Amino acid sequence: MSDAIKHECGISVIRLLKPLEYYKEKYGSAFYGVNKMYLMMEKQHNRGQDGAGFASIKLDVDAGQRYMSRVRSCQQQPIQDIFAQINERINKELKEHPEYEDDVALQKKNIPYIGELLLGHVRYGTFGKNSIESVHPFLRQNNWMHRNLIVAGNFNMTNVHELFDNLVQLGQHPKEMADTVTVMEKIGHFLDDAVAKLYKEIKKEGYTKQEASAIIAERLKVSKILRRAAKNFDGGYAMAGLLGHGDAFVLRDPAGIRPAYYYKDDEIVVVASERPAIQTVFNVPYESVQELDPGHAIIVKKSGTTAIKQILEPKERKACSFERIYFSRGSDKEIYQERKKLGKLVFPQILKSINHDIKRTVFSYIPNTAETSFFGMVKEAQNYLNKKKEEQILAIGSEITSKELHDILEVRPRIEKVAIKDAKLRTFITQDDSRDDLVAHVYDISYGSVKKGDNLVIIDDSIVRGTTLKKSILRILDRLSPKKIIVVSSAPQIRYPDCYGIDMAKLEDFIAFRAALDLHKDNNTMHVVDDIYKKCVEQINSKDKDVINYVKQFYAPFTAEQISKKTGELLSPKGINAEVQIIYQTISNLHKACPKNLGDWYFTGNYPTPGGNRVVNKAFINFYEGKNERAY
């Protein structure tokens, strides 16, 4: 609840299949691709607001002409910033050279960013890094057009150390041990190798060096390069790449952890992290946008030929369920229904908590992203009441009076906008007491929305750390004098770190972990914690495929209800008058609501790749040893 969960990132690839003159004639501008990319990135800004980047490639330019352009920003509004820079440059050229205005050939030749192949990226900064050097796309440059590589992605690799060592063994000297750099250099190595082999073959066939370039572009097998490069990748990823001569690809991980969708017609090929972004920007129906299968890549050759190729053997589908609960845009047809169902399925637990007293209960939500699950919860409350009303009316029978009927029908769920988030308040005072007082005012309440002695039910997407709940929200809600505050999470208890993109890395950050730790202390079972630590340490040098997630044993002695109850105790501020209860979605109901996205490792510890088990054990070792660092 208002605990900002960050993750990496959103991608967009647009390939214009017609000459730029076509778009000028049909849509009035040769900047059609740039305009569409701006919209694609804005429609995915929910996936990252700490940085944004744009790259473009022009096809078939003469030697000596610039054919690749890139612009990146980590300003406060990075998408607007990069397109302001692009527009400023375009307008400057058009002002200084009026002859470009209606001449697309001159525009393409002289104005940067106008190309047939475009790549956009939005990102959240992770582990404190938010410098321009961390912003995608990344660029690997070479004088050979084919060896230029631009990469951007929504991914995190659990085995970045292994990938780094592989590059060193190949004789390379990577500039840093970051997953984006290692992935790009891995692809780049096999791209170099493929180009060199093709060059030798073509030379043997009698072609000149100059003639060889165009033939290399035709014969280059991007799928083969990706198979060789991705062989040892362990992580969740949807990564996009552009080659200097005009080939493009988007590769999705074998478990389908990170999302990717595509659309193609005779004018464009577009790939993105979000389906509704494509639907809205290109005005196409839901059915026309396809999901890229796990382990597959969509590859667009310079010629415009588009193919879906299997790169890696698909694993059991473990698409990230957090995409459905929280990250992805709720305007997606399936996601909207799934979020409503999450609210519906958690209602029986709420009904039990309020002792079936809907008359004395107010329903609300925080933050706005929880609104859809709130609708599902309220609709189920209405269904419950309708059933009760039917029973009451039938029990009275034909003798029912108008007043009795009115009184029965008058009962409905009480829905209020209880909490309002104010503009972000700057906590510029560093002393803890003063700072906490400022944090406590991040939210305001609608006075009079709750009567003294009511139950107050507040639903949220997830409860991760609980910090803002304790320091701000619960204190403010208590001013309304409810008898009981029930905080509902449409997601289950987050117990394990994620290592595939979401920025949740430390066990002690999770309120569910802290609650279980307190239960161990209460039950004098801290020896279990010691034993888990020893088992984790024993596995440090084991191969990933042999590592077992021993952190599951940390939670095993307790039921989900016990952990939820203890969570309520930990999050109740001192001096609060209302009883506080925390309700979490069950894992079985999560799977019912999101049947196609069964990736649930942050809830269950069932990691989809071997690297996950190593990461969670390392996170436990860090906790036990008091190291405040990430496990990957």
Side-chain angles (χ1 to χ4, degrees), residues 7 16 111 458 464 589:
H7 79 146
L16 304 178
I111 302 178
I458 297 279
V464 187
N589 280 343

Side-chain angles (χ1 to χ4, degrees), residues 189 391 475 511 523:
H189 169 78
E391 290 171 359
R475 288 184 186 278
I511 186 62
N523 289 276

Side-chain angles (χ1 to χ4, degrees), residues 7 15-16 84 155 277 293 340 347 389 445 481 554 563 589 608 615:
H7 79 146
R15 168 61 201 275
L16 304 178
F155 64 88
D293 287 334
K340 281 180 70 176
F347 181 73
K389 291 175 186 179
I445 45 170
S481 301
F554 179 79
I563 293 173
N589 280 343
V615 167

Side-chain angles (χ1 to χ4, degrees), residues 10 41 106 180 198-199 373 431 486 489 537 546:
M41 291 171 69
L106 286 176
T180 312
L198 280 172
Y199 178 66
S373 58
Q431 286 84 358
I486 300 128
S489 168
V537 169
D546 299 322

Side-chain angles (χ1 to χ4, degrees), residues 138 140 149 155 157 159-193 225 228-233:
F138 282 62
R140 188 178 191 264
L149 176 63
F155 64 88
M157 296 297 170
N159 63 335
V160 66
H161 291 273
E162 179 192 339
L163 297 174
F164 181 88
D165 290 342
N166 288 346
L167 291 172
V168 173
Q169 288 164 19
L170 290 169
Q172 290 194 16
H173 188 93
K175 65 177 183 179
E176 61 177 304
M177 195 182 292
D179 51 10
T180 312
V181 172
T182 50
V183 163
M184 182 174 67
E185 293 300 338
K186 196 85 185 281
I187 296 170
H189 169 78
F190 290 108
L191 171 61
D192 288 348
D193 189 54
I225 294 166
R228 296 179 73 191
K231 188 170 61 175
N232 296 322
F233 289 174

Side-chain angles (χ1 to χ4, degrees), residues 403-584:
K403 184 180 184 307
E404 286 173 327
L405 183 60
H406 179 271
D407 289 346
I408 291 170
L409 295 177
E410 184 66 18
V411 180
R412 56 177 60 86
R414 293 167 58 196
I415 302 165
E416 301 288 352
K417 179 79 171 175
V418 170
I420 304 144
K421 190 168 187 178
D422 277 336
K424 189 176 283 187
L425 295 171
R426 294 192 175 196
T427 50
F428 52 87
I429 297 174
T430 55
Q431 286 84 358
D432 286 345
D433 290 345
S434 299
R435 188 180 177 86
D436 286 354
D437 184 56
L438 285 169
V439 170
H441 290 83
V442 168
Y443 282 87
D444 205 346
I445 45 170
S446 300
Y447 290 99
S449 58
V450 176
K451 295 175 185 173
K452 188 172 184 179
D454 281 343
N455 300 307
L456 175 56
V457 174
I458 297 279
I459 192 166
D460 185 28
D461 316 284
S462 60
I463 304 168
V464 187
R465 303 172 188 89
T467 310
T468 312
L469 255 181
K470 183 170 185 173
K471 290 188 175 181
S472 174
I473 295 167
L474 288 171
R475 288 184 186 278
I476 289 175
L477 295 178
D478 193 49
R479 294 179 187 174
L480 296 171
S481 301
K483 177 180 70 177
K484 189 175 186 181
I485 301 172
I486 300 128
V487 184
V488 183
S489 168
S490 69
Q493 295 166 0
I494 297 170
R495 300 180 171 191
Y496 304 91
D498 183 66
C499 48
Y500 305 112
I502 300 169
D503 193 19
M504 299 190 297
K506 299 171 189 172
L507 283 168
E508 58 270 34
D509 282 350
F510 305 142
I511 186 62
F513 182 86
R514 300 200 299 273
L517 185 64
D518 266 31
L519 287 170
H520 278 295
K521 292 173 183 175
D522 294 346
N523 289 276
N524 295 315
T525 54
M526 286 300 287
H527 63 276
V528 172
V529 179
D530 299 332
D531 290 342
I532 295 168
Y533 169 71
K534 289 171 187 172
K535 289 175 180 176
C536 291
V537 169
E538 286 169 4
Q539 293 189 108
I540 285 177
N541 296 317
S542 300
K543 292 182 179 179
D544 283 358
K545 65 181 179 63
D546 299 322
V547 175
I548 296 167
N549 178 2
Y550 283 116
V551 184
K552 287 185 178 184
Q553 296 177 8
F554 179 79
Y555 297 100
F558 314 116
T559 64
E561 289 74 19
Q562 287 175 303
I563 293 173
S564 292
K565 185 180 179 186
K566 177 58 74 171
T567 299
E569 293 173 15
L570 291 177
L571 294 183
S572 295
K574 285 181 181 177
I576 192 169
N577 295 311
E579 177 192 348
V580 175
Q581 183 178 354
I582 307 293
I583 291 176
Y584 284 95

